[in-house]
Amino acid sequence: TVVPSGKFLKIKTIRNAQKDAIETFTGSYYPTADVMVTRIVQLKHTSAAEIDRRLKGIIAKEGDLVAYEPTNSLIITDFGSGIERTMRIINE
């Protein structure tokens, strides 16, 4: 995958990109293209731990889904298109 680095773009393996400085989004906007990003989603009507258990299997093998229970949030690292799919499922 490609990771922005100042004025340049770095080409990295997806596993290494997850641990690097990829963009993090918390609002309603996040890219839906095939770029690796992290999105933090605060849940209102269900527990993050429950969603984590139920949706762990739909995240790409290169991605990650973590429940952060103190704020009832999910931290999702995946391609934008994968996060979009996950968000549609959560919203339903």
Side-chain angles (χ1 to χ4, degrees):
T1 192
V2 177
V3 178
S5 177
K7 296 180 182 178
F8 301 98
L9 298 173
K10 293 180 184 177
I11 298 174
K12 297 196 158 226
T13 64
I14 293 170
R15 269 291 154 207
N16 289 338
Q18 270 190 20
K19 310 284 186 248
D20 206 351
I22 60 176
E23 289 192 72
T24 301
F25 297 87
T26 58
S28 61
Y29 170 77
Y30 58 96
T32 56
D34 285 331
V35 60
M36 182 73 67
V37 295
T38 296
R39 176 144 193 237
I40 300 172
V41 181
Q42 191 166 8
L43 301 172
K44 295 178 184 172
H45 304 291
T46 189
S47 84
E50 180 68 19
I51 296 294
D52 181 43
R53 279 192 299 278
R54 304 274 182 192
L55 297 185
K56 202 66 128 175
I58 70 163
I59 300 296
K61 68 178 180 171
E62 300 87 3
D64 197 17
L65 174 67
V66 176
Y68 184 69
E69 295 186 55
T71 60
N72 197 39
S73 299
L74 294 173
I75 303 169
I76 309 168
T77 300
D78 199 349
F79 293 102
S81 57
I83 291 176
E84 180 179 33
R85 177 176 176 250
T86 303
M87 291 306 301
R88 282 196 315 264
I89 292 168
I90 290 170
N91 288 329
E92 285 297 319

